[in-house]
Each structure stands twice: as structure tokens, then as C-alpha cells.
């Protein structure tokens, strides 16, 4: 019988301890100031990934240079995947907090564009932007501008209006950087 009384006492002590901890946590949460009004979007630095992509990709990799209101365009995502048809992705929020992405790949063009533009379809409309011809694609979620290059496809897509997509397309600079020369050994 002594063991039963001891286990009841232990359970009661544990429950009292949990109650005290719960009350302390509630008091801390209520009285410690916390700011939930901050911008939840984190910006990223894409210089390393861009350098790697420009050295590795078999095509000139595009990134914006000289966007108007450059400080208001926030890069939010970036990656390069050589195993996935040399896919390059660089995502931004424009000054109006609309999404704009630069997508490039050596994948078959129509399939690639439909994938990255979330099922947009090709239109008959095209426009010359910064010396290159871009075709407009309309979609239920994203619209897109598409440029065919030798061996790759470049897509500027997102929720932003066409004017912002055109702004991004006009600011793109495509470069291919040769890999560094091997250093001579001993």
C-alpha cells in the first residue's frame, strides 16, 4: 500500500509542477513585448549561386542589372540545378510585393515554360525588349515572357503585371563565365 500512496503523490507533484510552468509561460508570453508586424519575407544574396551557375551552365545565365528602384526589388529565392536540365531560378518581390521570377533551362521549351509559369499558354503577342524578342504567355496564376536562346529558354514569370515582367526582362544581363584556370602544381 505504501507504493500506491507514493505514486499518487508523485503524479500530483508532477501535475502541480506542470501547472506552475504553464502559468509562468503564459505570463512571459503576455508581458514580454513581441513584434508580429515585421515583414516575414526574407531577402537572399544570390551572388554565389549566380557565379556558380555562370561557370557551370552551358548557356549565358541571366540576372538583373540596373532595375529601376533597385532597392525596392527584393530577391527572395535562388538556385541552380545542373542535374535538372541546368535549371536556374532567381525569384524577386517587385516594389508592389508581386512575385517575379527568372527561370532558365535546357529542358524542352514548351514543357519547361508551362511548368515554371504554372500552366500559362502561349499567345500571338511578342515584343522586342532590350534587343531581344520575347513572347507573351497568359496564365491563370502567372503570366510570362519567354525568350528562346540557342540551347536554352529564358522565362520571366510571376504574379506581377506585364509591365513589371517587361521591366525585369529589360534589365536582364546574360553572361557565361569560364571556370577558373587550374593552378599549376609543383
Amino acid at each position: 500500500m505504501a507504493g500506491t500512496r507514493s505514486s499518487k503523490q508523485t503524479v500530483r507533484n508532477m501535475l502541480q509542477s506542470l501547472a506552475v510552468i504553464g502559468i509562468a509561460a503564459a505570463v512571459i508570453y503576455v508581458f514580454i513585448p513581441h513584434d508580429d508586424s515585421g515583414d516575414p519575407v526574407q531577402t537572399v544574396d544570390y551572388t554565389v549561386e549566380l557565379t556558380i551557375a555562370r561557370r557551370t551552365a552551358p548557356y549565358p545565365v541571366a540576372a538583373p542589372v540596373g532595375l529601376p528602384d533597385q532597392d525596392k526589388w527584393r530577391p527572395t529565392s535562388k538556385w541552380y540545378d545542373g542535374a535538372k536540365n541546368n535549371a536556374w531560378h532567381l525569384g524577386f518581390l517587385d516594389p508592389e510585393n508581386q512575385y517575379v521570377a527568372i527561370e532558365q533551362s535546357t529542358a524542352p521549351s514548351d514543357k519547361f515554360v508551362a511548368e515554371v509559369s504554372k500552366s500559362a499558354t502561349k499567345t500571338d503577342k511578342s515584343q522586342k525588349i532590350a534587343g531581344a524578342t520575347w513572347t507573351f504567355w497568359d496564365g491563370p496564376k502567372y503570366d510570362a515572357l519567354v525568350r528562346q536562346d540557342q540551347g536554352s529558354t529564358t522565362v520571366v514569370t510571376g504574379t506581377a503585371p506585364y509591365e513589371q515582367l517587361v521591366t525585369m526582362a529589360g534589365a536582364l544581363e546574360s553572361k557565361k563565365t569560364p571556370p577558373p584556370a587550374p593552378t599549376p602544381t609543383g
Side-chain angles (χ1 to χ4, degrees), residues 2-176:
T4 304
R5 184 172 188 200
S6 174
S7 65
K8 286 182 182 177
Q9 188 73 20
T10 304
V11 170
R12 193 173 92 214
N13 289 344
M14 184 177 65
L15 291 174
Q16 288 174 338
S17 297
L18 284 173
V20 169
I21 291 170
I23 291 169
V27 167
I28 289 170
Y29 180 78
V30 169
F31 292 106
I32 301 289
H34 48 277
D35 183 14
D36 293 334
S37 65
D39 189 355
V41 176
Q42 299 294 315
T43 60
V44 297
D45 180 4
Y46 59 90
T47 54
V48 171
E49 285 80 3
L50 179 60
T51 301
I52 291 168
R54 284 183 167 166
R55 286 184 178 163
T56 309
Y59 54 83
V61 173
V65 174
L67 281 166
D69 295 325
Q70 179 83 33
D71 58 326
K72 293 181 181 177
W73 288 80
R74 297 180 296 160
T76 58
S77 57
K78 81 291 193 214
W79 52 265
Y80 174 75
D81 188 347
K84 188 180 175 190
N85 296 305
N86 303 295
W88 166 243
H89 163 84
L90 184 56
F92 285 84
L93 285 182
D94 75 359
E96 302 301 320
N97 286 325
Q98 292 296 312
Y99 183 65
V100 177
I102 301 142
E103 309 280 358
Q104 287 183 284
S105 179
T106 57
S109 180
D110 286 349
K111 182 179 176 184
F112 172 67
V113 176
E115 179 184 323
V116 297
S117 68
K118 310 290 185 214
S119 302
T121 55
K122 189 175 184 177
T123 70
D124 293 333
K125 187 178 176 187
S126 63
Q127 180 177 348
K128 208 162 200 67
I129 303 168
T133 301
W134 293 80
T135 303
F136 289 81
W137 287 53
D138 285 321
K141 183 171 183 175
Y142 291 177
D143 292 326
L145 295 171
V146 178
R147 182 181 78 205
Q148 297 295 322
D149 297 308
Q150 189 171 0
S152 68
T153 303
T154 302
V155 181
V156 176
T157 188
T159 58
Y162 271 124
E163 294 77 25
Q164 291 296 69
L165 300 180
V166 168
T167 298
M168 178 60 81
L172 291 182
E173 179 178 82
S174 296
K175 284 186 180 179
K176 176 82 176 125

